[in-house]
Structure formats: C-alpha cells, structure tokens
Amino acid sequence: MSTFQNTTASSIIFLLTGLPGLEALHTWISIPFCFLYAMALSGNSLILFAIISQPSLHEPMYYFLSMLSTTDLGLSISTMVTMLGIFWFNAREISFNACLSQMFFIQLFTVMESSVLLAMAYDRYVAISNPLRYALVLTDLKIVQIGIAIITRGTLILTPMVVLLKRLYYCRSHVLHHSYCFHPDVMKLSCTDTRINSAVGLTALISTAGVDSVFIVLSYVLIIRTVLSIASPEERKKAFSTCISHIGAVAVFYIPLLSLSFVHRFGRRAPPYVHTLIANAYLLIPPVMNPIIYSVKTKQIRKAVLKVLRSSMAKS
C-alpha cells in the first residue's frame, strides 16, 4: 500500500507532450502557435477595451461580447504557458496540483464560453421578438446576475470533477498526451477504478455544453419563427443579420469540439500528432476567430476598434 501512497497527490510530476514524432520541429512549429496566441490576446483585449471605453457600446449585446472576450483571454492564458514552454524550452514537467489547477481553469473558461454563447442567443431572441421591452428585460442588474450565474455554475459543476482526481492512485506512466492537462488524459494514468470520475466528467459535459447547445438551437428556432412572421423582406433580412456574428461564434466553438470527439472516437489509426493538433486547435480557434468575426460582421464593433487604434496611434 505504501507504494500507492508514494504516487498520489503532491509527489507526482506529470510529463506533458508537444507534437509526438515532430519534436525536432518544435521550434519552427512554435512560430504559428505564437502568432495565434498573439492574435487571440491582442484581438480580445482590443474588443474588451473598445467596449469599456466607448459609451455607445454600453448595451446588453456588447456586455455579453465583453464576457466572451474575457473568457477567450482566460482560455488562451490557461494553455499558453505550458504549450509554448514545451515548444521553446522542452519544459514538459508539471506538478500534480499545478496540473489540476490548469485543468480546472481550462474547463471553467470552456464552460463559461458555452454559457455566454447561450446568454447571447437569449439576448438575440429578446431583441428580435420583443424589441420594445429589450432594455427593460436585459437591465444592467440582470446582466450582472447572468455573469455571476455563469461563473457559479461552472465552478459548482467542475469542482467535484477535479477534486475526485485526488482520490486516485497513479502508479502507471506519468506521460500525458497533450500539451496541457486534459481530464480524460489524467484519468487514464490511474491504476484504480475511475468509473465515478468518468460518470462525473460525462455528467459535467452533458449538463454544460450539451444542455447549452440544445437551448441555443431552441433559441434560433424561436428567432427564425419570429423573423418569418415579419411582413417586410427588408426588415426580415435586417433582423436576422444581427445574428450572423453570434452564429459564427457558435460554429467556431462547437465544430472543433465535435471534431475532437470524432477523432478521439474514430481516429485511432491517425498519427498521434493529429490528435494533439486538433486538441490544441479546439482551445485556440475560438479565441482567435471570435474577435475577427465580430470585427468584420458587426459595424459598431468595427468602428469602435478602428477608433481605439487611431487614438493609440495618434498618442504615439
């Protein structure tokens, strides 16, 4: 039994993995990853600053967009240190507690992103179906309450999933298959029964991204029904055009998630680096693409971002 005790909790050091089989190219591979992180951090920071500094954007839709940018910043920062550390310095070691902390924040920001996308779907439904009551329904207080509920929900659902990993014994290889700590990855290294962990992990996934996706689809069914009831074709087009950016954000969140699930289930014959690349893309694509989507498709955001850029250039 003492052998098991030596392999639990704080004494464990896990080894993260870059791109298996491509270790010699890690320095070159780090260049596009560094570029993507720079895009994610600068793009989301710019949108966040534009919304905060421009009074014209102090509306419910843009408050939710600021929440999305905040979660994207958190998601990027949560993976950036370990991923670039592996590519630049071959810094693969991570302690058990640091691994659990990283895993918690990656999962928390992912759940928060899903929740924010659901809140944005509700925002679009209220704006289109009942525009006269829009400001009365989505007050500043209500938006703050939604934000607190999103954080509380994610924390309550994910805390048991992470804490339960502490009860396991890890007497197998300590090599993880990703460049960040991934719940199923850590769980597979245990030599004890993980059925409770698997059940809790699956419940967390279904009760967050699963439930949110159903309600997002339901919101758009109601939005489409409302839009089709509008008599004027011009007004119908105008009403639905306000949803294009949000549809794009939903797509860049859920398509990589589905791709990752598909590859893990059916891509066992694929080279190991394919799994790792898709897992990295799953966490990098939304933070990179969301600022681009909203800057291109939303005129008010585009004007505010350009105003901020011109102002900063004038000062320099």
Side-chain angles (χ1 to χ4, degrees), residues 56-264:
S56 62
L57 298 181
H58 293 177
E59 296 178 9
M61 175 182 172
Y62 304 113
Y63 288 145
F64 287 126
L65 178 55
S66 69
M67 291 183 195
L68 188 67
S69 293
T70 303
T71 59
D72 281 338
L73 281 171
L75 196 56
S76 299
I77 293 167
S78 297
T79 60
M80 180 175 65
V81 175
T82 55
M83 199 178 294
L84 294 183
I86 292 169
F87 289 143
W88 286 347
F89 310 111
N90 196 32
R92 297 177 59 198
E93 293 188 355
I94 185 168
S95 69
F96 182 76
N97 289 328
C99 185
L100 291 192
S101 297
Q102 185 190 43
M103 182 194 307
F104 175 78
F105 283 109
I106 289 173
Q107 299 276 26
L108 177 63
F109 287 120
T110 303
V111 168
M112 285 175 62
E113 180 135 354
S114 174
S115 302
V116 171
L117 289 172
L118 174 58
M120 294 173 89
Y122 174 68
D123 167 79
R124 289 300 83 209
Y125 169 67
V126 174
I128 290 172
S129 65
N130 205 342
L132 296 178
R133 288 181 53 82
Y134 178 61
L136 297 175
V137 174
L138 289 171
T139 61
D140 290 351
L141 177 61
K142 181 67 70 178
I143 292 167
V144 170
Q145 290 172 340
I146 290 172
I148 293 171
I150 286 171
I151 297 170
T152 305
R153 176 204 190 200
T155 304
L156 292 177
I157 289 174
L158 296 173
T159 298
M161 186 182 82
V162 175
V163 170
L164 281 171
L165 290 172
K166 287 200 167 193
R167 74 179 184 88
L168 302 178
Y169 297 115
Y170 301 90
C171 53
R172 295 175 181 163
S173 165
H174 291 168
V175 178
L176 300 170
H177 295 100
H178 295 83
S179 50
Y180 53 86
C181 289
F182 187 46
H183 181 258
D185 214 8
V186 174
M187 200 168 57
K188 286 176 184 176
L189 299 183
S190 172
C191 52
T192 47
D193 189 357
T194 59
R195 281 179 294 183
I196 293 175
N197 298 74
S198 297
V200 171
L202 182 61
T203 302
L205 179 64
I206 292 171
S207 60
T208 53
V211 170
D212 292 348
S213 61
V214 170
F215 279 106
I216 288 171
V217 170
L218 180 61
S219 297
Y220 272 97
V221 169
L222 297 174
I223 286 170
I224 290 169
R225 192 176 71 175
T226 303
V227 169
L228 293 177
S229 67
I230 299 173
S232 167
E234 192 66 30
E235 288 299 315
R236 283 202 298 267
K237 183 180 177 182
K238 183 180 177 182
F240 198 72
S241 67
T242 63
C243 301
I244 298 299
S245 297
H246 179 254
I247 292 171
V250 170
V252 299
F253 178 79
Y254 281 100
I255 290 174
L257 176 61
L258 293 173
S259 301
L260 181 62
S261 303
F262 183 82
V263 168
H264 274 297

Side-chain angles (χ1 to χ4, degrees), residues 299-311:
K299 185 171 72 172
Q300 293 87 337
I301 290 293
R302 186 167 63 250
K303 287 170 66 176
V305 167
L306 289 173
K307 187 176 180 180
V308 168
L309 288 174
R310 287 194 202 102
S311 175

